Amino acid sequence: NAGVTQTPKFQVLKTGQSMTLQCAQDMNHNSMYWYRQDPGMGLRLIYYSASEGTTDKGEVPNGYNVSRLNKREFSLRLESAAPSQTSVYFCASSEKSSGANVLTFGAGSRLTVL
Amino acid sequence: GEDVEQSLFLSVREGDSSVINCTYTDSSSTYLYWYKQEPGAGLQLLTYIFSNMDMKQDQRLTVLLNKKDKHLSLRIADTQTGDSAIYFCAESRATGGFKTIFGAGTRLFVKA
């Protein structure tokens, strides 16, 4: 059971380049999320998709777009990468259980923008 | 606004108890979580507590919640070197609770 799979694990971009981070989950969860992790700042929510066909902004959406391709897949796109987007990106999914929103995370994608 | 705060570092000796503290500001928070992140990996849920509880125990882990002071703690008994990791406190609401807010994480060092 793979859980949440993210690709790529590592990527180096030049300023202005574009790229898409891919995420897929095999747990039949309704909700999916993209977070970024920066030192001393914890995880910050970029975008989320509460269910297939919907997406909403999180705390730090500027410079990103998302697509909920189907129930399994949720991609994050950087149209014109900036050094401030150097970070570790985590995809997560959840199925609310009695009100608690328990997240299952992927292993992360480390992005460096030069 | 919503904010979750935790100290950044904690160092303990193997076999001692570790206590990681967290404070939160959102009085509407109904679920509080502890996640663990090992090096190079994603976060994994350790445990969570509903806000009408004040304590939850699970083997070596004890969670204490003081709702009046908005203070959450995680106690790890008999800490082992394998417990070395970053521990994140997080909160969400039961209604519309798709936004889980995380603290900055506490890095636990366990000395042999």
Side-chain angles (χ1 to χ4, degrees), chain B residues 23-92:
Chain B
T23 57
Y24 61 98
T25 57
D26 188 356
S27 56
S28 302
S29 299
T30 45
Y31 286 92
L32 295 128
Y33 310 80
W34 286 104
Y35 285 83
K36 177 183 180 182
Q37 184 183 32
E38 296 184 351
L43 281 69
Q44 288 186 299
L45 179 75
L46 282 178
T47 186
Y48 67 89
I49 188 167
F50 185 47
S51 59
N52 69 352
M53 299 168 65
D54 50 23
M55 186 179 94
K56 182 177 181 181
Q57 189 151 3
D58 183 2
Q59 300 184 332
R60 292 190 298 123
L61 305 179
T62 303
V63 177
L64 295 178
L65 174 61
N66 181 328
K67 195 174 179 183
K68 175 176 166 289
D69 294 338
K70 300 192 184 72
H71 181 268
L72 183 74
S73 68
L74 174 70
R75 178 177 180 268
I76 306 172
D78 187 24
T79 312
Q80 302 298 306
T81 54
D83 294 323
S84 293
I86 304 176
Y87 291 82
F88 290 90
C89 172
E91 56 93 5
S92 71

Side-chain angles (χ1 to χ4, degrees), chain A residues 31 33 37 96 98 101 103, chain B residues 31 33 35 37 88 94 98 100:
Chain A
S31 305
Y33 311 79
Q37 183 180 23
K96 280 188 129 188
S98 301
N101 192 33
L103 298 168
Chain B
Y31 286 92
Y33 310 80
Y35 285 83
Q37 184 183 32
F88 290 90
F98 292 105
T100 302

Side-chain angles (χ1 to χ4, degrees), chain A residues 60-77:
Chain A
V60 289
N62 291 345
Y64 304 95
N65 286 302
V66 290
S67 296
R68 184 74 183 267
L69 304 168
N70 47 55
K71 192 171 185 180
R72 291 188 64 246
E73 298 173 286
F74 188 40
S75 63
L76 178 72
R77 183 160 178 84

Side-chain angles (χ1 to χ4, degrees), chain A residues 5-104:
Chain A
T5 304
Q6 296 180 227
T7 56
K9 291 194 186 317
F10 300 95
Q11 183 74 48
V12 178
L13 292 177
K14 294 182 180 177
T15 298
Q17 287 185 316
S18 62
M19 79 158 297
T20 300
L21 298 176
Q22 308 284 356
C23 175
Q25 52 94 8
D26 62 4
M27 295 168 288
N28 203 35
H29 285 170
N30 279 318
S31 305
M32 298 186 73
Y33 311 79
W34 277 104
Y35 284 88
R36 59 178 287 174
Q37 183 180 23
D38 301 293
M41 300 188 75
L43 274 76
R44 291 182 291 169
L45 183 63
I46 304 171
Y47 271 94
Y48 67 101
S49 170
S51 59
E52 188 179 354
T54 69
T55 60
D56 285 285
K57 294 178 181 180
E59 303 167 72
V60 289
N62 291 345
Y64 304 95
N65 286 302
V66 290
S67 296
R68 184 74 183 267
L69 304 168
N70 47 55
K71 192 171 185 180
R72 291 188 64 246
E73 298 173 286
F74 188 40
S75 63
L76 178 72
R77 183 160 178 84
L78 286 71
E79 289 292 351
S80 178
S84 61
Q85 294 178 303
T86 293
S87 189
V88 181
Y89 292 85
F90 288 97
C91 179
S93 67
S94 74
E95 192 66 42
K96 280 188 129 188
S97 168
S98 301
N101 192 33
V102 175
L103 298 168
T104 301

